[in-house]
């Protein structure tokens, strides 16, 4: 009966042909291959990081454009299939009294595949862009955080302005000022001594950080870096270990490089070959040992390491850093205040600014979705006015008709948002790997909060877009809609 009541000039539901399928598959596969190549080029041995970065970025962008073009070409096949799948799930989850309405909504949403795919594609484009940016920002935040943890072992370090044998020690007042600064949870004195390292007839000079094992556990951001710290062990970065040609467990002689002002004559006396090396991945020319391993005596304190808890101080991390710098500035030498937290906060400010742009893009995507879904539902109401009248005449209530149209809108909006979110995750992960792959380990993150907001916005957009079409469908009495023209 519904088919018989359709107007003669109802538009035919045309689908894409076989050539369109092949073109979509070819573009998607070619773009995916270029994305995979760009994301893995930094893993090839012997590649120049700087030289390959530009090429990988260009190939990655081209691969993203080509693959996305393939998805858009094949949307006429992909979107209706996804709508049918989601519609089946909606019917299964609906209450028994509402299943007939949900089934009608699922069928009507795919009656014109081209129109449905075009409507969902508008939201798909916006959500893909938003999710890609949010995923890239989350991955950059996590990856840069891991990178900073390897470069800065602690939150904050107050360091003497000079290094080496002529380093001026920090005064007791400066050390106390660090401990008493609001936001500093714990601080420890960390002497840094110039030392000579010898192994197998090879010598190298580097600064030796004297750090207690308990202090390392309490203060270090990356616990793995100092996991092997103990008496009789010296931690060596990969570059220093390579220069000395030593590996884990090899004996190393650690000798004072020169007398340090304010230190005893025996300061930095080594335990000789009783000290064994433990190589720390990365680390460069890092050298760390415990006081018990090298017995530094009253070695001058040239740095103070601190752990920051800005929430206790009710301030930002940068404010804590500024407070430490202000508290340690006086008649004594002005120290340098460095650390991972300030660098992290600076990067996060940039990322938050980009995410602000993402929120604006999401707003634009929602407006486009509202217009597109409302337009599709309005056309559906016009084309199926007689069908709606027959349904109402056979017992469909006004609320059920509203629910049917709302279900159509939600299905189209959710499918567009879901496909866009999936594509955005893939492109965001690929972009993070391409841009940050050469800096070290890449941490791929999922912006769950943004995905939840996108899903909620999609549902709201589908419901809101169905309001006016439903009002239009209910305005015409069934008898008038069924009357012959």
């Amino acid at each position: 009966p519904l088919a018989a009541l359709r107007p003669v000039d109802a538009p035919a539901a045309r689908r894409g042909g076989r050539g369109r399928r092949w073109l979509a598959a070819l573009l998607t596969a070619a773009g995916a291959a270029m994305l995979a190549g760009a994301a893995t080029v930094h893993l090839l041995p012997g590649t120049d990081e700087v030289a390959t970065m530009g090429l990988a970025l260009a190939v990655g962008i081209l691969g993203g454009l080509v693959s996305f073009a393939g998805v858009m070409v094949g949307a006429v096949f992909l979107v209706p299939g996804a709508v049918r799948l989601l519609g089946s799930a909606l019917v299964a989850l609906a209450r028994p009294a509402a299943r007939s309405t949900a089934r009608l909504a699922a069928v009507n949403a795919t009656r014109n595949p081209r129109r449905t795919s075009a409507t969902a594609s508008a939201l798909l484009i916006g959500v893909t862009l938003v999710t890609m940016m949010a995923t890239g920002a989350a991955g950059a935040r996590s990856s840069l955080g891991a990178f900073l943890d390897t470069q800065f072992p602690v939150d904050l370090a107050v360091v003497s302005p000079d290094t080496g044998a002529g380093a001026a020690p920090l005064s007791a007042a400066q050390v106390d000022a660090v401990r008493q600064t609001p936001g500093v949870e714990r601080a420890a004195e960390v002497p840094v001594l110039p030392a000579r390292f010898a192994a197998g007839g090879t010598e190298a000079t580097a600064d030796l950080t004297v750090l207690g094992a308990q202090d390392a556990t309490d203060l270090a951001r990356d616990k793995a870096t100092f996991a092997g710290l103990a008496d009789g062990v010296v931690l060596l970065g990969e570059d220093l270990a390579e220069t000395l040609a030593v590996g884990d467990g090899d004996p190393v002689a650690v000798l004072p490089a020169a007398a340090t002002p304010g230190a005893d004559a025996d300061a930095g006396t080594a335990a000789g070959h009783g000290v064994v090396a433990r190589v720390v991945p990365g680390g460069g020319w890092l050298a760390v040992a415990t006081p018990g391993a090298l017995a530094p005596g009253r070695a001058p304190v040239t740095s103070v390491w601190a752990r920051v808890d800005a929430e206790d101080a009710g301030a930002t991390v940068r404010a804590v850093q500024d407070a430490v710098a202000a508290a340690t500035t006086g008649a004594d030498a002005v120290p340098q205040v460095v650390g991972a937290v300030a660098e992290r906060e600076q990067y996060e400010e940039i990322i938050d600014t980009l995410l602000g742009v993402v929120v604006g893009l999401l707003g634009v995507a929602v407006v486009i979705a509202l217009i597109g879904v409302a337009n599709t539902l309005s056309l559906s109401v016009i084309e199926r006015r007689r069908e709606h009248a027959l349904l109402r005449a056979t017992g469909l209530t006004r609320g059920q008709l509203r629910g049917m149209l709302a279900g159509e809108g939600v299905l189209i909006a959710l499918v567009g948002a879901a496909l866009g979110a999936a594509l955005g995750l893939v492109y965001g992960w690929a972009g993070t790997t391409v841009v940050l792959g050469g800096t070290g380990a890449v941490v791929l993150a999922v912006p769950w909060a943004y995905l939840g907001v996108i899903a909620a916005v999609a549902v709201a957009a589908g419901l809101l877009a169905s309001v006016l079409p439903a009002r239009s469908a209910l305005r015409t009495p069934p008898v008038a809609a069924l009357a012959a023209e």
Side-chain angles (χ1 to χ4, degrees):
L2 294 179
L5 286 170
R6 289 182 191 170
V8 178
D9 58 347
R14 296 186 300 115
R15 296 176 181 270
R18 184 175 300 177
R20 189 184 185 99
R21 289 179 184 272
W22 281 107
L23 179 61
L26 180 63
L27 290 174
T28 304
M34 285 188 282
L35 274 176
T40 56
V41 67
H42 68 277
L43 299 176
L44 299 176
T47 56
D48 185 355
E49 178 181 329
V50 177
T52 57
M53 172 63 76
L55 177 61
L57 192 58
V59 173
I61 292 174
L62 181 60
L65 292 174
V66 171
S67 61
F68 192 72
V71 172
M72 297 306 296
V73 170
V76 69
F77 310 109
L78 186 62
V79 171
V83 170
R84 282 191 291 270
L85 183 62
L86 186 60
S88 300
L90 180 64
V91 172
L93 295 175
R95 294 175 302 174
R99 283 179 181 170
S100 58
T101 304
R103 189 175 291 110
L104 281 171
V107 171
N108 290 335
T110 57
R111 183 174 292 183
N112 193 317
R114 285 183 178 273
R115 184 188 298 163
T116 300
S117 62
T119 304
S121 296
L123 183 61
L124 185 151
I125 294 172
V127 171
T128 298
L129 181 58
V130 170
T131 307
M132 179 185 69
M133 295 288 290
T135 302
R141 193 190 301 270
S142 301
S143 301
L144 288 173
F147 174 74
L148 290 175
D149 286 345
T150 62
Q151 299 299 310
F152 300 95
V154 292
D155 288 340
L156 286 180
V158 181
V159 184
S160 174
D162 300 315
T163 58
L170 299 175
S171 66
Q174 289 174 320
V175 175
D176 291 339
V178 175
R179 289 196 173 100
Q180 296 172 10
T181 301
V184 174
E185 186 176 350
R186 192 179 187 283
E189 302 175 4
V190 181
V192 179
L193 305 170
R196 300 197 320 272
F197 301 85
T202 304
E203 285 194 10
T205 302
D207 288 337
L208 175 67
T209 301
V210 182
L211 179 66
Q214 187 60 45
D215 290 334
T217 301
D218 293 341
L219 298 175
R221 298 185 61 86
D222 185 6
K223 308 298 183 184
T225 301
F226 303 99
L229 187 62
D231 292 348
V233 175
V234 60
L235 304 181
L236 302 178
E238 287 183 340
D239 293 344
L240 181 55
E242 183 179 353
T243 301
L244 296 172
V246 297
D248 285 335
D250 292 341
V252 178
V254 185
L255 307 169
T260 305
D264 294 341
D266 62 341
T269 301
H273 288 281
V275 178
V276 297
R278 180 182 181 275
V279 180
V280 178
W285 282 69
L286 174 73
V288 184
T290 64
L294 303 176
R298 292 191 300 274
V301 179
T302 53
S303 66
V304 176
W305 287 5
R307 184 174 62 195
V308 172
D309 188 354
E311 294 181 359
D312 288 345
T316 63
V317 172
R318 181 170 297 176
V320 175
Q321 183 182 15
D322 293 341
V324 170
T328 54
T329 301
D332 301 304
V334 179
Q336 300 173 355
V337 182
V338 297
V341 288
E343 296 288 336
R344 186 192 306 272
E345 191 170 78
Q346 182 179 357
Y347 286 123
E348 288 182 351
E349 286 182 358
I350 299 174
I351 292 172
D352 290 341
T353 301
L354 293 177
L355 289 181
V357 177
V358 168
V359 173
L361 293 175
L362 180 59
V364 174
V366 170
V367 172
I368 294 173
L370 281 172
I371 296 173
V373 175
N375 183 51
T376 296
L377 293 180
S378 297
L379 290 175
S380 174
V381 167
I382 294 172
E383 292 173 358
R384 301 200 300 266
R385 191 177 299 276
R386 292 168 64 87
E387 296 179 21
H388 293 162
L390 179 61
L391 289 171
R392 289 187 60 194
T394 55
L396 191 73
T397 65
R398 295 170 67 92
Q400 287 176 324
L401 181 57
R402 285 195 187 96
M404 183 182 70
L405 293 173
E408 289 185 49
V410 169
L411 282 174
I412 295 173
L414 272 180
V415 166
L419 294 177
L423 287 173
L425 283 173
V426 172
Y427 291 140
W429 288 339
T432 303
T433 305
V434 170
V435 175
L436 300 177
T439 62
V442 177
V443 180
L444 300 180
V446 178
W448 294 110
Y450 275 88
L451 294 181
V453 170
I454 288 171
V457 167
V459 172
L463 292 174
L464 200 59
S466 67
V467 172
L468 292 179
R471 181 179 299 178
S472 174
L474 293 171
R475 187 178 297 143
T476 305
V479 174
L482 288 170
E485 297 179 359

